[in-house]
Amino acid sequence: MTGRTRLTTTETVRDERSWLFTVRDQYDELDEVILVPCEEERTDGGATAESDDSAADADPDDPGVEAWINRCTHEAQRLDRGFGAAMRDGQIICPKHGSMFDACSGYCDNGDAADTTLPSVEVAVEDGAVYLADDGYEFVHEGSIEGGGEEAGDGDESQDDDDDMPSSTSHIGF
């Protein structure tokens, strides 16, 4: 691994219930990632290999944290639109159709995104700090693509398509 970037603390992720940041992938494209608390022990084998590896190295005194690409697998709806992901009972809720993804495994067993799993991003937790540990991504800034620094307007209008926030067809009320 070439190096890690410190992102935030496990306490911040736990208190805010999600933490959004922007990365650049190997194709020089910007993407968003959400950190969410994972309260479960990782012994069920339901998580991705990347998640299992980072969980095995984690300090047992630190709460678990997982990182997922900030897109529903059904229609690429942003799960966190810049003000926190909707969470309930350890699940991330898609604001458009109400599909619920397990915060620890990324797996969805209901709604329009059923039988899919969110793409994971490898993170490491050490002494209460969360680090980006995935060589496939480079940290750009905290917050959404639109919300940070000079990267915010680099001409890719497709990133703004869901900012109009379509009316929800979810069966779940908040």
Side-chain angles (χ1 to χ4, degrees):
M1 187 172 353
T2 59
R4 299 182 306 176
T5 303
R6 184 182 186 280
L7 300 170
T8 187
T9 65
T10 55
E11 181 179 7
T12 298
V13 175
R14 186 177 57 249
D15 291 349
E16 294 181 14
R17 303 303 298 160
S18 66
W19 195 82
L20 179 66
F21 64 102
T22 298
V23 294
R24 186 174 306 281
D25 69 16
Q26 67 228 19
Y27 305 106
D28 207 31
E29 297 290 327
L30 294 177
D31 214 339
E32 294 176 353
V33 178
I34 55 173
L35 295 175
V36 294
C38 171
E39 308 295 335
E40 298 175 4
E41 287 290 323
R42 305 310 299 267
T43 58
D44 64 346
T48 63
E50 293 87 1
S51 298
D52 287 342
D53 289 344
S54 63
D57 296 335
D59 181 340
D61 296 326
D62 283 332
V65 173
E66 294 294 336
W68 307 105
I69 296 295
N70 187 33
R71 266 190 316 278
C72 177
T73 55
H74 172 234
E75 285 186 358
Q77 171 73 28
R78 291 168 63 202
L79 301 168
D80 179 338
R81 297 176 304 215
F83 46 86
M87 301 275 301
R88 181 184 296 159
D89 298 329
Q91 296 189 321
I92 307 162
I93 304 168
C94 174
K96 186 169 184 182
H97 293 109
S99 293
M100 299 171 75
F101 298 87
D102 182 80
C104 298
S105 70
Y107 182 74
C108 179
D109 65 359
N110 65 71
D112 292 329
D115 295 323
T116 65
T117 302
L118 295 171
S120 66
V121 174
E122 187 177 350
V123 293
V125 175
E126 292 177 12
D127 299 323
V130 183
Y131 296 88
L132 177 61
D134 196 315
D135 290 334
Y137 297 99
E138 173 188 344
F139 177 79
V140 177
H141 57 76
E142 178 180 349
S144 69
I145 291 172
E146 298 85 12
E150 60 192 56
E151 313 292 341
D154 58 347
D156 185 2
E157 297 302 321
S158 66
Q159 296 294 334
D160 295 345
D161 289 347
D162 61 1
D163 285 344
D164 295 333
M165 295 191 300
S167 60
S168 175
T169 57
S170 173
H171 63 281
I172 299 176
F174 295 102

